[in-house]
Amino acid sequence: MKLVHRMPVGITDAKLIYEKLGLQQEFLEGKPLIVIYYPGKDECNSTGSNDPAYLKNKQKSLLKYAEKHDAVPPFYFYKNPHGLEKYRGIQEWAADPDGLFEKLFFQFHYPCGSFVVISPNGNYRGILGEYPISQVDVALKKL
C-alpha cells in the first residue's frame, strides 16, 4: 500500500505538454491549462447525477473559470471511456495522448476522476479523486 497526497503541487515540463497538445501559441501567451481526467468507470463516477442539465452546468462552470483566469478551455481526457456515455451530446472526451497525463499525474485509479491545472512556467496543482468543481478555480488562482 502506498500513501498518496491527494492535492499534488509541483513543477513539470510544461513545454512538452503544450507541444503534445499543439498549444505552442498558448504556451507563449502564458495561458494555463485545465485537464479533467477520467480513469474509467468506478463506483464513485457511475453513481450520482446523470442529469444532462447538471452535467452541462459543470461544463459551463469550467469554461467560466478558464475565461476568468485567461486559461485554455478545459481538456477532457480518459484512460478508459467506459461510463462516459452520460456525457454524449454534452462534452467530448479524448483518449489521454500516449498516456501522458496518466504517467505524469494520475498513476493510480483515483475514484471519480481528477484534475490538474498547469501554467506555462511548469507549476501545477491538482486534486486526485473526487473534488468539487470550484476547486479548479482555487487551483488556478494559486498557480
Side-chain angles (χ1 to χ4, degrees), residues 5-70:
H5 184 61
R6 276 198 66 221
M7 298 175 78
V9 175
I11 298 178
T12 190
D13 184 353
K15 188 172 185 182
L16 167 87
I17 295 168
Y18 281 73
E19 286 175 356
K20 186 77 169 171
L21 299 176
L23 299 173
Q24 292 86 342
Q25 187 60 40
E26 290 81 351
F27 177 81
L28 295 172
E29 292 170 0
K31 293 180 178 272
L33 289 177
I34 303 168
V35 175
I36 307 300
Y37 188 81
Y38 179 85
K41 191 173 185 176
D42 60 38
E43 207 172 294
C44 178
N45 62 31
S46 61
T47 59
S49 182
N50 286 334
D51 176 31
Y54 171 76
L55 298 174
K56 284 180 187 176
N57 190 41
K58 278 178 57 175
Q59 179 194 28
K60 283 182 187 174
S61 293
L62 286 170
L63 287 170
K64 229 187 286 184
Y65 298 147
E67 191 174 301
K68 176 181 173 182
H69 296 282
D70 195 28

Short mmCIF file of all heavy atoms in Angstrom, two decimals, residues 5-70:
data_model
loop_
_atom_site.label_atom_id
_atom_site.label_comp_id
_atom_site.label_asym_id
_atom_site.label_seq_id
_atom_site.Cartn_x
_atom_site.Cartn_y
_atom_site.Cartn_z
N HIS A 5 -0.50 11.78 -1.63
CA HIS A 5 -1.03 13.10 -1.30
C HIS A 5 -2.08 13.46 -2.35
O HIS A 5 -1.78 13.47 -3.55
CB HIS A 5 0.11 14.13 -1.28
CG HIS A 5 -0.32 15.50 -0.88
ND1 HIS A 5 -0.87 15.77 0.35
CD2 HIS A 5 -0.30 16.66 -1.55
CE1 HIS A 5 -1.16 17.06 0.43
NE2 HIS A 5 -0.82 17.62 -0.73
N ARG A 6 -3.30 13.75 -1.94
CA ARG A 6 -4.41 13.98 -2.86
C ARG A 6 -4.36 15.32 -3.57
O ARG A 6 -5.11 15.54 -4.52
CB ARG A 6 -5.75 13.90 -2.10
CG ARG A 6 -6.25 12.51 -1.93
CD ARG A 6 -7.73 12.50 -1.59
NE ARG A 6 -8.51 13.00 -2.70
CZ ARG A 6 -9.54 13.82 -2.58
NH1 ARG A 6 -9.95 14.23 -1.42
NH2 ARG A 6 -10.20 14.24 -3.65
N MET A 7 -3.58 16.25 -3.09
CA MET A 7 -3.54 17.59 -3.70
C MET A 7 -2.11 17.91 -4.13
O MET A 7 -1.44 18.73 -3.51
CB MET A 7 -4.10 18.62 -2.73
CG MET A 7 -5.55 18.36 -2.37
SD MET A 7 -6.20 19.46 -1.12
CE MET A 7 -6.49 20.93 -2.07
N PRO A 8 -1.65 17.25 -5.18
CA PRO A 8 -0.26 17.45 -5.59
C PRO A 8 0.01 18.86 -6.10
O PRO A 8 -0.84 19.49 -6.73
CB PRO A 8 -0.08 16.42 -6.70
CG PRO A 8 -1.44 16.23 -7.26
CD PRO A 8 -2.38 16.38 -6.09
N VAL A 9 1.19 19.33 -5.79
CA VAL A 9 1.70 20.63 -6.23
C VAL A 9 3.13 20.37 -6.65
O VAL A 9 3.84 19.61 -6.01
CB VAL A 9 1.68 21.64 -5.07
CG1 VAL A 9 2.31 22.95 -5.48
CG2 VAL A 9 0.27 21.86 -4.55
N GLY A 10 3.55 20.98 -7.75
CA GLY A 10 4.94 20.77 -8.16
C GLY A 10 5.28 21.50 -9.44
O GLY A 10 4.59 22.44 -9.84
N ILE A 11 6.35 21.03 -10.05
CA ILE A 11 6.82 21.60 -11.32
C ILE A 11 6.99 20.46 -12.31
O ILE A 11 7.49 19.38 -11.96
CB ILE A 11 8.15 22.36 -11.12
CG1 ILE A 11 7.94 23.53 -10.15
CG2 ILE A 11 8.69 22.86 -12.46
CD1 ILE A 11 9.18 24.31 -9.84
N THR A 12 6.56 20.71 -13.54
CA THR A 12 6.66 19.72 -14.60
C THR A 12 7.19 20.38 -15.87
O THR A 12 7.37 21.60 -15.91
CB THR A 12 5.28 19.06 -14.86
OG1 THR A 12 5.44 17.95 -15.72
CG2 THR A 12 4.27 20.04 -15.45
N ASP A 13 7.45 19.60 -16.88
CA ASP A 13 7.91 20.11 -18.17
C ASP A 13 6.70 20.58 -18.98
O ASP A 13 6.14 19.84 -19.78
CB ASP A 13 8.68 19.02 -18.92
CG ASP A 13 9.29 19.51 -20.22
OD1 ASP A 13 9.01 20.66 -20.63
OD2 ASP A 13 10.04 18.74 -20.84
N ALA A 14 6.29 21.81 -18.72
CA ALA A 14 5.09 22.35 -19.36
C ALA A 14 5.24 22.46 -20.87
O ALA A 14 4.29 22.20 -21.61
CB ALA A 14 4.76 23.72 -18.77
N LYS A 15 6.42 22.80 -21.33
CA LYS A 15 6.63 22.96 -22.78
C LYS A 15 6.31 21.65 -23.51
O LYS A 15 5.65 21.65 -24.55
CB LYS A 15 8.05 23.41 -23.07
CG LYS A 15 8.27 23.79 -24.52
CD LYS A 15 9.61 24.42 -24.75
CE LYS A 15 9.69 24.87 -26.20
NZ LYS A 15 10.97 25.46 -26.52
N LEU A 16 6.75 20.54 -22.95
CA LEU A 16 6.46 19.23 -23.53
C LEU A 16 4.95 18.99 -23.62
O LEU A 16 4.44 18.54 -24.64
CB LEU A 16 7.11 18.13 -22.68
CG LEU A 16 6.65 16.70 -22.99
CD1 LEU A 16 7.48 16.12 -24.12
CD2 LEU A 16 6.73 15.83 -21.77
N ILE A 17 4.23 19.32 -22.55
CA ILE A 17 2.78 19.10 -22.51
C ILE A 17 2.08 19.99 -23.53
O ILE A 17 1.24 19.51 -24.31
CB ILE A 17 2.24 19.35 -21.09
CG1 ILE A 17 2.83 18.31 -20.12
CG2 ILE A 17 0.72 19.33 -21.07
CD1 ILE A 17 2.60 18.62 -18.66
N TYR A 18 2.40 21.27 -23.55
CA TYR A 18 1.77 22.19 -24.50
C TYR A 18 2.06 21.75 -25.94
O TYR A 18 1.18 21.79 -26.79
CB TYR A 18 2.26 23.62 -24.27
CG TYR A 18 1.60 24.34 -23.11
CD1 TYR A 18 1.89 24.01 -21.80
CD2 TYR A 18 0.68 25.36 -23.33
CE1 TYR A 18 1.30 24.67 -20.73
CE2 TYR A 18 0.08 26.04 -22.28
CZ TYR A 18 0.40 25.68 -20.98
OH TYR A 18 -0.20 26.34 -19.92
N GLU A 19 3.29 21.35 -26.22
CA GLU A 19 3.63 20.89 -27.57
C GLU A 19 2.84 19.64 -27.94
O GLU A 19 2.35 19.52 -29.06
CB GLU A 19 5.13 20.63 -27.69
CG GLU A 19 5.94 21.90 -27.75
CD GLU A 19 7.45 21.66 -27.76
OE1 GLU A 19 7.90 20.50 -27.64
OE2 GLU A 19 8.18 22.67 -27.87
N LYS A 20 2.72 18.71 -27.00
CA LYS A 20 1.98 17.47 -27.25
C LYS A 20 0.52 17.77 -27.62
O LYS A 20 -0.09 17.06 -28.40
CB LYS A 20 2.04 16.57 -26.00
CG LYS A 20 1.43 15.23 -26.17
CD LYS A 20 2.36 14.35 -26.95
CE LYS A 20 1.91 12.91 -26.91
NZ LYS A 20 2.68 12.09 -27.81
N LEU A 21 -0.03 18.83 -27.03
CA LEU A 21 -1.42 19.21 -27.28
C LEU A 21 -1.56 20.21 -28.43
O LEU A 21 -2.66 20.65 -28.72
CB LEU A 21 -2.04 19.79 -26.00
CG LEU A 21 -2.09 18.83 -24.80
CD1 LEU A 21 -2.62 19.55 -23.58
CD2 LEU A 21 -2.92 17.61 -25.12
N GLY A 22 -0.45 20.57 -29.06
CA GLY A 22 -0.50 21.52 -30.17
C GLY A 22 -0.80 22.94 -29.72
O GLY A 22 -1.46 23.70 -30.43
N LEU A 23 -0.32 23.31 -28.56
CA LEU A 23 -0.64 24.61 -27.97
C LEU A 23 0.60 25.49 -27.82
O LEU A 23 0.77 26.18 -26.81
CB LEU A 23 -1.29 24.40 -26.59
CG LEU A 23 -2.60 23.63 -26.57
CD1 LEU A 23 -3.03 23.34 -25.14
CD2 LEU A 23 -3.69 24.41 -27.31
N GLN A 24 1.44 25.52 -28.83
CA GLN A 24 2.66 26.31 -28.75
C GLN A 24 2.34 27.80 -28.56
O GLN A 24 3.00 28.48 -27.77
CB GLN A 24 3.54 26.12 -30.00
CG GLN A 24 4.14 24.75 -30.12
CD GLN A 24 3.22 23.73 -30.79
OE1 GLN A 24 2.02 23.90 -30.90
NE2 GLN A 24 3.81 22.62 -31.22
N GLN A 25 1.34 28.30 -29.27
CA GLN A 25 0.97 29.72 -29.16
C GLN A 25 0.46 30.05 -27.75
O GLN A 25 0.83 31.06 -27.17
CB GLN A 25 -0.09 30.09 -30.21
CG GLN A 25 -0.40 31.57 -30.27
CD GLN A 25 0.81 32.42 -30.61
OE1 GLN A 25 1.63 32.08 -31.46
NE2 GLN A 25 0.95 33.55 -29.93
N GLU A 26 -0.38 29.17 -27.21
CA GLU A 26 -0.91 29.37 -25.86
C GLU A 26 0.21 29.32 -24.82
O GLU A 26 0.18 30.05 -23.83
CB GLU A 26 -1.99 28.34 -25.54
CG GLU A 26 -3.28 28.53 -26.33
CD GLU A 26 -3.26 27.97 -27.75
OE1 GLU A 26 -2.17 27.56 -28.25
OE2 GLU A 26 -4.33 27.96 -28.37
N PHE A 27 1.20 28.48 -25.07
CA PHE A 27 2.37 28.41 -24.19
C PHE A 27 3.08 29.77 -24.18
O PHE A 27 3.38 30.32 -23.12
CB PHE A 27 3.32 27.31 -24.68
CG PHE A 27 4.59 27.21 -23.89
CD1 PHE A 27 4.61 26.53 -22.68
CD2 PHE A 27 5.77 27.78 -24.34
CE1 PHE A 27 5.78 26.43 -21.93
CE2 PHE A 27 6.94 27.69 -23.62
CZ PHE A 27 6.95 27.02 -22.41
N LEU A 28 3.31 30.32 -25.38
CA LEU A 28 3.99 31.61 -25.49
C LEU A 28 3.17 32.75 -24.89
O LEU A 28 3.72 33.72 -24.36
CB LEU A 28 4.30 31.92 -26.96
CG LEU A 28 5.30 30.98 -27.63
CD1 LEU A 28 5.40 31.26 -29.13
CD2 LEU A 28 6.67 31.09 -26.97
N GLU A 29 1.83 32.63 -24.95
CA GLU A 29 0.95 33.65 -24.41
C GLU A 29 0.76 33.53 -22.89
O GLU A 29 0.12 34.38 -22.28
CB GLU A 29 -0.43 33.58 -25.09
CG GLU A 29 -0.38 33.97 -26.56
CD GLU A 29 -1.68 33.68 -27.29
OE1 GLU A 29 -2.64 33.17 -26.67
OE2 GLU A 29 -1.73 33.95 -28.50
N GLY A 30 1.31 32.46 -22.29
CA GLY A 30 1.23 32.29 -20.85
C GLY A 30 -0.11 31.80 -20.33
O GLY A 30 -0.46 32.02 -19.18
N LYS A 31 -0.87 31.11 -21.17
CA LYS A 31 -2.20 30.63 -20.78
C LYS A 31 -2.11 29.29 -20.03
O LYS A 31 -1.54 28.34 -20.56
CB LYS A 31 -3.09 30.46 -22.00
CG LYS A 31 -3.43 31.77 -22.69
CD LYS A 31 -4.32 31.54 -23.89
CE LYS A 31 -4.70 32.83 -24.54
NZ LYS A 31 -5.90 33.42 -23.97
N PRO A 32 -2.68 29.21 -18.84
CA PRO A 32 -2.69 27.94 -18.11
C PRO A 32 -3.57 26.89 -18.80
O PRO A 32 -4.47 27.24 -19.57
CB PRO A 32 -3.27 28.31 -16.74
CG PRO A 32 -3.31 29.78 -16.68
CD PRO A 32 -3.29 30.29 -18.08
N LEU A 33 -3.30 25.64 -18.48
CA LEU A 33 -4.10 24.51 -18.97
C LEU A 33 -4.96 23.97 -17.84
O LEU A 33 -4.54 23.95 -16.68
CB LEU A 33 -3.19 23.36 -19.39
CG LEU A 33 -2.35 23.48 -20.63
CD1 LEU A 33 -1.49 22.23 -20.79
CD2 LEU A 33 -3.23 23.66 -21.85
N ILE A 34 -6.13 23.47 -18.21
CA ILE A 34 -7.01 22.75 -17.28
C ILE A 34 -7.21 21.37 -17.89
O ILE A 34 -7.66 21.26 -19.04
CB ILE A 34 -8.38 23.43 -17.12
CG1 ILE A 34 -8.22 24.88 -16.65
CG2 ILE A 34 -9.29 22.62 -16.20
CD1 ILE A 34 -9.50 25.70 -16.76
N VAL A 35 -6.89 20.32 -17.15
CA VAL A 35 -7.08 18.96 -17.64
C VAL A 35 -7.98 18.21 -16.65
O VAL A 35 -7.65 18.11 -15.47
CB VAL A 35 -5.74 18.21 -17.80
CG1 VAL A 35 -5.98 16.76 -18.19
CG2 VAL A 35 -4.87 18.91 -18.84
N ILE A 36 -9.11 17.75 -17.17
CA ILE A 36 -10.02 16.92 -16.40
C ILE A 36 -9.75 15.48 -16.83
O ILE A 36 -9.73 15.19 -18.03
CB ILE A 36 -11.49 17.31 -16.69
CG1 ILE A 36 -11.72 18.81 -16.50
CG2 ILE A 36 -12.44 16.46 -15.85
CD1 ILE A 36 -11.43 19.34 -15.11
N TYR A 37 -9.53 14.61 -15.87
CA TYR A 37 -9.09 13.24 -16.18
C TYR A 37 -10.09 12.22 -15.65
O TYR A 37 -10.45 12.25 -14.46
CB TYR A 37 -7.71 13.00 -15.57
CG TYR A 37 -7.09 11.69 -16.00
CD1 TYR A 37 -6.45 11.57 -17.22
CD2 TYR A 37 -7.15 10.58 -15.17
CE1 TYR A 37 -5.88 10.37 -17.61
CE2 TYR A 37 -6.58 9.38 -15.55
CZ TYR A 37 -5.95 9.28 -16.77
OH TYR A 37 -5.38 8.09 -17.15
N TYR A 38 -10.50 11.32 -16.52
CA TYR A 38 -11.44 10.25 -16.19
C TYR A 38 -10.69 8.92 -16.30
O TYR A 38 -10.25 8.55 -17.39
CB TYR A 38 -12.62 10.29 -17.16
CG TYR A 38 -13.67 9.24 -16.96
CD1 TYR A 38 -14.69 9.43 -16.03
CD2 TYR A 38 -13.65 8.06 -17.70
CE1 TYR A 38 -15.68 8.46 -15.86
CE2 TYR A 38 -14.63 7.10 -17.53
CZ TYR A 38 -15.64 7.31 -16.61
OH TYR A 38 -16.62 6.35 -16.43
N PRO A 39 -10.53 8.20 -15.19
CA PRO A 39 -9.74 6.97 -15.22
C PRO A 39 -10.47 5.76 -15.79
O PRO A 39 -9.85 4.79 -16.20
CB PRO A 39 -9.42 6.73 -13.74
CG PRO A 39 -10.59 7.32 -13.03
CD PRO A 39 -10.99 8.51 -13.85
N GLY A 40 -11.79 5.84 -15.82
CA GLY A 40 -12.63 4.71 -16.21
C GLY A 40 -13.72 4.57 -15.18
O GLY A 40 -13.67 5.16 -14.09
N LYS A 41 -14.71 3.79 -15.52
CA LYS A 41 -15.87 3.64 -14.65
C LYS A 41 -15.48 3.04 -13.30
O LYS A 41 -14.69 2.10 -13.23
CB LYS A 41 -16.90 2.75 -15.34
CG LYS A 41 -18.24 2.71 -14.67
CD LYS A 41 -19.23 1.94 -15.53
CE LYS A 41 -20.62 2.00 -14.93
NZ LYS A 41 -21.60 1.35 -15.80
N ASP A 42 -16.03 3.62 -12.23
CA ASP A 42 -15.83 3.08 -10.90
C ASP A 42 -17.10 3.34 -10.09
O ASP A 42 -18.06 3.93 -10.59
CB ASP A 42 -14.59 3.67 -10.21
CG ASP A 42 -14.62 5.18 -10.05
OD1 ASP A 42 -15.71 5.74 -9.76
OD2 ASP A 42 -13.57 5.81 -10.19
N GLU A 43 -17.12 2.89 -8.86
CA GLU A 43 -18.32 3.01 -8.03
C GLU A 43 -18.70 4.47 -7.80
O GLU A 43 -19.88 4.80 -7.71
CB GLU A 43 -18.08 2.32 -6.69
CG GLU A 43 -19.35 1.81 -6.06
CD GLU A 43 -19.06 0.96 -4.83
OE1 GLU A 43 -18.47 -0.13 -4.99
OE2 GLU A 43 -19.42 1.41 -3.73
N CYS A 44 -17.72 5.34 -7.74
CA CYS A 44 -17.97 6.75 -7.47
C CYS A 44 -18.55 7.46 -8.69
O CYS A 44 -19.57 8.13 -8.59
CB CYS A 44 -16.68 7.43 -7.02
SG CYS A 44 -16.86 9.18 -6.70
N ASN A 45 -17.90 7.34 -9.84
CA ASN A 45 -18.36 8.10 -11.00
C ASN A 45 -19.51 7.44 -11.75
O ASN A 45 -20.03 8.00 -12.71
CB ASN A 45 -17.20 8.45 -11.95
CG ASN A 45 -16.51 7.25 -12.53
OD1 ASN A 45 -17.11 6.20 -12.75
ND2 ASN A 45 -15.22 7.39 -12.78
N SER A 46 -19.90 6.24 -11.35
CA SER A 46 -21.04 5.59 -12.01
C SER A 46 -22.32 5.80 -11.21
O SER A 46 -23.39 5.38 -11.61
CB SER A 46 -20.78 4.10 -12.20
OG SER A 46 -20.59 3.46 -10.96
N THR A 47 -22.21 6.47 -10.06
CA THR A 47 -23.38 6.83 -9.28
C THR A 47 -23.49 8.35 -9.30
O THR A 47 -22.66 9.03 -9.88
CB THR A 47 -23.27 6.32 -7.83
OG1 THR A 47 -22.10 6.88 -7.23
CG2 THR A 47 -23.19 4.81 -7.79
N GLY A 48 -24.48 8.89 -8.67
CA GLY A 48 -24.63 10.34 -8.66
C GLY A 48 -25.46 10.80 -9.84
O GLY A 48 -26.17 10.02 -10.46
N SER A 49 -25.32 12.05 -10.18
CA SER A 49 -26.20 12.65 -11.17
C SER A 49 -25.82 12.30 -12.61
O SER A 49 -24.67 12.45 -13.02
CB SER A 49 -26.20 14.16 -11.01
OG SER A 49 -27.09 14.74 -11.94
N ASN A 50 -26.82 11.85 -13.34
CA ASN A 50 -26.70 11.67 -14.79
C ASN A 50 -27.54 12.72 -15.50
O ASN A 50 -27.75 12.63 -16.70
CB ASN A 50 -27.18 10.27 -15.21
CG ASN A 50 -26.18 9.21 -14.84
OD1 ASN A 50 -24.99 9.47 -14.72
ND2 ASN A 50 -26.67 8.00 -14.66
N ASP A 51 -28.04 13.69 -14.75
CA ASP A 51 -28.91 14.73 -15.28
C ASP A 51 -28.14 15.60 -16.26
O ASP A 51 -27.14 16.23 -15.88
CB ASP A 51 -29.45 15.57 -14.12
CG ASP A 51 -30.30 16.73 -14.58
OD1 ASP A 51 -30.96 16.62 -15.64
OD2 ASP A 51 -30.30 17.78 -13.88
N PRO A 52 -28.57 15.65 -17.52
CA PRO A 52 -27.86 16.46 -18.52
C PRO A 52 -27.70 17.93 -18.12
O PRO A 52 -26.67 18.53 -18.38
CB PRO A 52 -28.71 16.32 -19.77
CG PRO A 52 -29.44 15.03 -19.60
CD PRO A 52 -29.68 14.91 -18.12
N ALA A 53 -28.70 18.49 -17.47
CA ALA A 53 -28.61 19.90 -17.05
C ALA A 53 -27.48 20.09 -16.04
O ALA A 53 -26.73 21.07 -16.11
CB ALA A 53 -29.94 20.37 -16.46
N TYR A 54 -27.35 19.16 -15.11
CA TYR A 54 -26.28 19.22 -14.12
C TYR A 54 -24.91 19.09 -14.80
O TYR A 54 -23.98 19.86 -14.49
CB TYR A 54 -26.46 18.10 -13.08
CG TYR A 54 -25.29 17.95 -12.14
CD1 TYR A 54 -25.09 18.85 -11.09
CD2 TYR A 54 -24.37 16.92 -12.31
CE1 TYR A 54 -24.02 18.72 -10.23
CE2 TYR A 54 -23.29 16.79 -11.45
CZ TYR A 54 -23.12 17.69 -10.42
OH TYR A 54 -22.04 17.56 -9.58
N LEU A 55 -24.78 18.17 -15.72
CA LEU A 55 -23.51 17.96 -16.42
C LEU A 55 -23.14 19.17 -17.27
O LEU A 55 -21.98 19.58 -17.32
CB LEU A 55 -23.57 16.69 -17.27
CG LEU A 55 -23.81 15.39 -16.49
CD1 LEU A 55 -24.01 14.22 -17.45
CD2 LEU A 55 -22.69 15.11 -15.52
N LYS A 56 -24.13 19.78 -17.92
CA LYS A 56 -23.88 20.99 -18.72
C LYS A 56 -23.45 22.14 -17.82
O LYS A 56 -22.58 22.94 -18.18
CB LYS A 56 -25.13 21.38 -19.49
CG LYS A 56 -25.40 20.52 -20.70
CD LYS A 56 -26.66 20.97 -21.41
CE LYS A 56 -27.00 19.99 -22.51
NZ LYS A 56 -28.25 20.31 -23.18
N ASN A 57 -24.05 22.23 -16.64
CA ASN A 57 -23.71 23.29 -15.69
C ASN A 57 -22.25 23.16 -15.23
O ASN A 57 -21.53 24.16 -15.10
CB ASN A 57 -24.66 23.28 -14.50
CG ASN A 57 -24.51 24.50 -13.64
OD1 ASN A 57 -24.34 25.60 -14.14
ND2 ASN A 57 -24.54 24.31 -12.33
N LYS A 58 -21.81 21.92 -14.96
CA LYS A 58 -20.41 21.70 -14.59
C LYS A 58 -19.47 22.17 -15.70
O LYS A 58 -18.47 22.83 -15.45
CB LYS A 58 -20.16 20.21 -14.32
CG LYS A 58 -20.57 19.75 -12.95
CD LYS A 58 -20.35 18.27 -12.73
CE LYS A 58 -18.95 17.80 -12.97
NZ LYS A 58 -18.73 16.39 -12.65
N GLN A 59 -19.83 21.83 -16.93
CA GLN A 59 -19.02 22.22 -18.09
C GLN A 59 -18.97 23.75 -18.21
O GLN A 59 -17.90 24.33 -18.43
CB GLN A 59 -19.58 21.59 -19.36
CG GLN A 59 -18.79 21.96 -20.59
CD GLN A 59 -19.54 21.64 -21.86
OE1 GLN A 59 -20.76 21.62 -21.89
NE2 GLN A 59 -18.79 21.39 -22.92
N LYS A 60 -20.11 24.40 -18.04
CA LYS A 60 -20.16 25.87 -18.13
C LYS A 60 -19.30 26.50 -17.03
O LYS A 60 -18.63 27.50 -17.27
CB LYS A 60 -21.60 26.37 -18.02
CG LYS A 60 -22.41 26.19 -19.27
CD LYS A 60 -23.81 26.75 -19.08
CE LYS A 60 -24.67 26.42 -20.29
NZ LYS A 60 -26.08 26.84 -20.07
N SER A 61 -19.34 25.94 -15.84
CA SER A 61 -18.53 26.47 -14.74
C SER A 61 -17.05 26.39 -15.09
O SER A 61 -16.30 27.35 -14.86
CB SER A 61 -18.80 25.69 -13.45
OG SER A 61 -20.11 25.92 -13.00
N LEU A 62 -16.62 25.27 -15.64
CA LEU A 62 -15.21 25.12 -16.02
C LEU A 62 -14.82 26.13 -17.10
O LEU A 62 -13.73 26.71 -17.05
CB LEU A 62 -14.92 23.70 -16.49
CG LEU A 62 -14.87 22.66 -15.37
CD1 LEU A 62 -14.83 21.25 -15.95
CD2 LEU A 62 -13.66 22.91 -14.48
N LEU A 63 -15.70 26.34 -18.07
CA LEU A 63 -15.41 27.34 -19.11
C LEU A 63 -15.31 28.74 -18.51
O LEU A 63 -14.47 29.54 -18.91
CB LEU A 63 -16.48 27.29 -20.20
CG LEU A 63 -16.42 26.09 -21.13
CD1 LEU A 63 -17.67 26.01 -22.01
CD2 LEU A 63 -15.16 26.12 -21.98
N LYS A 64 -16.16 29.03 -17.53
CA LYS A 64 -16.12 30.32 -16.84
C LYS A 64 -14.80 30.51 -16.11
O LYS A 64 -14.19 31.58 -16.15
CB LYS A 64 -17.29 30.41 -15.85
CG LYS A 64 -18.08 31.68 -15.95
CD LYS A 64 -19.11 31.82 -14.85
CE LYS A 64 -20.28 30.89 -15.08
NZ LYS A 64 -21.34 31.06 -14.07
N TYR A 65 -14.35 29.45 -15.42
CA TYR A 65 -13.08 29.54 -14.71
C TYR A 65 -11.93 29.75 -15.68
O TYR A 65 -11.00 30.52 -15.42
CB TYR A 65 -12.82 28.29 -13.87
CG TYR A 65 -13.84 28.03 -12.78
CD1 TYR A 65 -14.16 26.74 -12.41
CD2 TYR A 65 -14.48 29.08 -12.12
CE1 TYR A 65 -15.10 26.49 -11.41
CE2 TYR A 65 -15.43 28.83 -11.13
CZ TYR A 65 -15.73 27.54 -10.78
OH TYR A 65 -16.65 27.29 -9.80
N ALA A 66 -11.98 29.06 -16.81
CA ALA A 66 -10.92 29.22 -17.83
C ALA A 66 -10.89 30.66 -18.32
O ALA A 66 -9.81 31.27 -18.42
CB ALA A 66 -11.15 28.25 -18.98
N GLU A 67 -12.04 31.21 -18.62
CA GLU A 67 -12.11 32.59 -19.10
C GLU A 67 -11.62 33.57 -18.03
O GLU A 67 -10.84 34.47 -18.32
CB GLU A 67 -13.57 32.90 -19.48
CG GLU A 67 -13.73 34.18 -20.24
CD GLU A 67 -15.18 34.37 -20.70
OE1 GLU A 67 -15.68 33.50 -21.43
OE2 GLU A 67 -15.78 35.39 -20.30
N LYS A 68 -12.05 33.36 -16.80
CA LYS A 68 -11.68 34.23 -15.68
C LYS A 68 -10.17 34.30 -15.49
O LYS A 68 -9.61 35.35 -15.16
CB LYS A 68 -12.35 33.69 -14.42
CG LYS A 68 -12.01 34.40 -13.14
CD LYS A 68 -12.74 33.72 -11.98
CE LYS A 68 -12.32 34.25 -10.64
NZ LYS A 68 -13.02 33.54 -9.55
N HIS A 69 -9.48 33.17 -15.71
CA HIS A 69 -8.04 33.10 -15.48
C HIS A 69 -7.23 33.13 -16.78
O HIS A 69 -6.05 32.81 -16.77
CB HIS A 69 -7.70 31.84 -14.67
CG HIS A 69 -8.31 31.86 -13.31
ND1 HIS A 69 -7.78 32.58 -12.26
CD2 HIS A 69 -9.42 31.27 -12.82
CE1 HIS A 69 -8.54 32.42 -11.18
NE2 HIS A 69 -9.54 31.64 -11.50
N ASP A 70 -7.89 33.51 -17.88
CA ASP A 70 -7.25 33.56 -19.20
C ASP A 70 -6.53 32.25 -19.52
O ASP A 70 -5.39 32.23 -19.97
CB ASP A 70 -6.29 34.75 -19.30
CG ASP A 70 -5.90 35.06 -20.74
OD1 ASP A 70 -6.71 34.77 -21.66
OD2 ASP A 70 -4.78 35.56 -20.97
#
